[in-house]
Amino acid sequence: MRHRHSDYMEWAKTQSRAKFNLATSGVGAFPLRQLPVGIEQLEINGESAYGYAPLQRAIARKCTVDQDCVVAAAGTSMANHLAMAALIDPGDEVLIEHPTYELLTSTALYLGASVKQFARTEASGYTLDPAEVRRAITPRTKLIVLTNLHNPSSVLAPEPVLREVGDLACSVGAHVLVDEVYLDAVYENTPGSSYHLGREFIATNSLTKVYGLSGLRCGWILAQPDLARAMWRLNDLFSSIPAYPAELLSVVALEHLDSIRERACKVVQADRALLGDFLNCQTGISAPRTQWGTTAILHLKHGDVEQFLSRLRAEYETSAVPGRFFGLRSYFRIGMGVDTEMFSEGLQRIGRALKAT
Ligand SMILES: Cc1ncc(COP(=O)(O)O)c(C=O)c1O
């Protein structure tokens, strides 16, 4: 039976909200009124076929690639779907990191892939370990899929490690798909896209998580031109053309990305400092300390996570993402970067709920 749904997405859309919502993954929403654009600059219909030229240029400039490598897509979600759909035939073997963002696995399964996992373990600080990829890869592997920064842990994979994974992929003629939707949350010496590391790499990204611009659905894929063309053609089967006003707004946003990111960075950093203090005084929780990113995965050392999260919601009005969505039973994920007051109160409530266990 073909896999036709995402349990995580349904939960996120219907169950994740709470007064103290730590079940987030990206920064807070950037308000339209702060974008320097007037209604007279907008239009409903315009010239967009295989990409809106000014948007193609703006994304290419941001990523320092040629425009014919850029495929615009509705968020990283559609970018991932298109990239996988262009590369995978039913029955193909796909290696996906574990734990990972559930939609990556669900999409590969929907496309009929035979999914195998390679481990990023808590013991190793969730690092991307080429030895684990080597252990899992076979001559049948068509695609290796990972996130960088890693969702849920926010751990950064360094370039030499990515190169090693790329070499492994090349040894069996596979591609590497890197979801980079959190990568720009590395606020200093932000790494370039892994697309630049070799022809085997395909990267996806959007303005959602690090910029608070989810509603624009401004996502993209970076792929070699022949593959990019195939993805554009495939997209005709899914969504024809994007919403033109969103394309216009995305061009404006891309002109002001640095200041948009700066605003959110302050919140993320304040939240991370609070998380550090919180972890220092909790004995019932462990988590890797990360320098960047908007999510953290916490290990509940004792007790049942589902019961803990139900109690946290019912008695403390606080939500977090159950680890089961990442294949981690005694864990939960929390998000930074929305509102420091809310985050601080949410952490305190987690602390009180732990004490009352
Ligand atoms: C790793 C990862 N990729 C993609 C997405 C979805 O991104 P977008 O909103 O750009 O579709 C998410 C959202 O949580 C994510 O965590």
Side-chain angles (χ1 to χ4, degrees):
M1 258 271 252
R2 199 157 165 180
H3 189 91
R4 286 196 164 91
H5 63 272
S6 158
D7 289 335
Y8 167 68
M9 193 49 78
E10 187 191 33
W11 182 90
K13 286 179 173 175
T14 62
Q15 311 282 308
S16 67
R17 288 181 188 80
K19 185 166 178 191
F20 303 97
N21 183 1
L22 302 197
T24 57
S25 54
V27 304
F30 186 85
L32 176 59
R33 65 179 175 280
Q34 287 181 21
L35 206 60
V37 65
I39 188 83
E40 66 289 348
Q41 286 165 265
L42 299 181
E43 194 41 86
I44 292 176
N45 303 300
E47 281 295 316
S48 179
Y50 291 108
Y52 171 52
L55 183 56
Q56 287 292 109
R57 274 199 296 277
I59 296 171
R61 198 177 316 116
K62 174 188 170 358
C63 303
T64 56
V65 297
D66 292 336
Q67 281 179 57
D68 55 0
C69 306
V70 176
V71 182
T76 313
S77 307
M78 195 58 186
N80 286 334
H81 189 128
L82 267 181
M84 285 198 211
L87 290 165
I88 298 173
D89 286 315
D92 280 350
E93 185 175 276
V94 175
L95 296 193
I96 307 183
E97 63 183 6
H98 176 274
T100 199
Y101 178 53
E102 187 250 28
L103 260 295
L104 294 170
T105 313
S106 292
T107 302
L109 289 172
Y110 167 71
L111 293 168
S114 160
V115 172
K116 282 177 73 179
Q117 297 177 320
F118 63 93
R120 301 182 66 156
T121 61
E122 184 185 13
S124 68
Y126 298 104
T127 51
L128 176 62
D129 181 356
E132 293 294 335
V133 178
R134 193 173 298 112
R135 215 193 313 274
I137 202 166
T138 77
R140 290 180 49 240
T141 304
K142 283 281 163 51
L143 183 63
I144 300 171
V145 182
L146 54 105
T147 52
N148 193 31
L149 304 174
H150 181 222
N151 182 5
S153 72
S154 285
V155 166
L156 173 68
E159 189 183 303
V161 172
L162 287 167
R163 282 189 192 279
E164 270 189 70
V165 173
D167 290 346
L168 286 167
C170 285
S171 73
V172 297
H175 283 94
V176 185
L177 172 61
V178 187
D179 177 327
E180 299 179 341
V181 75
Y182 298 100
L183 191 60
D184 285 0
V186 178
Y187 293 114
E188 285 166 30
N189 301 318
T190 310
S193 170
S194 53
Y195 172 74
H196 295 286
L197 301 181
R199 296 180 62 83
E200 65 278 21
F201 282 92
I202 293 154
T204 54
N205 205 339
S206 74
L207 301 183
T208 296
K209 301 292 168 189
V210 182
Y211 299 94
L213 295 164
S214 173
L216 293 180
R217 300 284 76 213
C218 177
W220 61 87
I221 305 155
L222 304 181
Q224 290 297 313
D226 52 339
L227 250 182
R229 264 192 305 281
M231 290 176 193
W232 277 118
R233 296 288 306 277
L234 184 56
N235 188 52
D236 285 338
L237 306 186
F238 296 132
S239 61
S240 182
I241 53 165
Y244 187 64
E247 292 183 308
L248 293 174
L249 287 168
S250 299
V251 172
V252 179
L254 280 153
E255 281 162 9
H256 297 91
L257 272 194
D258 287 347
S259 59
I260 295 172
R261 183 169 84 144
E262 190 57 32
R263 170 185 165 276
C265 159
K266 294 194 178 102
V267 186
V268 175
Q269 288 181 334
D271 289 1
R272 175 168 275 98
L274 288 170
L275 178 61
D277 295 344
F278 171 81
L279 292 173
N280 284 343
C281 49
Q282 294 297 331
T283 50
I285 296 269
S286 66
R289 305 304 168 100
T290 51
Q291 205 181 346
W292 314 113
T294 52
T295 64
I297 186 82
L298 274 51
H299 183 187
L300 184 71
K301 291 186 190 159
H302 311 288
D304 180 285
V305 159
E306 299 290 336
Q307 282 173 15
F308 176 73
L309 293 180
S310 301
R311 203 159 49 76
L312 187 65
R313 175 185 289 281
E315 295 172 26
Y316 299 90
E317 299 177 280
T318 302
S319 61
V321 184
R324 74 184 133 95
F325 293 121
F326 306 95
L328 296 170
R329 286 280 155 190
S330 43
Y331 297 72
F332 59 98
R333 193 193 71 185
I334 61 171
M336 294 167 270
V338 178
D339 176 328
T340 299
E341 227 172 277
M342 179 187 77
F343 187 74
S344 169
E345 184 61 33
L347 283 184
Q348 285 174 42
R349 284 165 183 251
I350 292 174
R352 292 213 290 279
L354 283 169
K355 223 178 233 163
T357 307

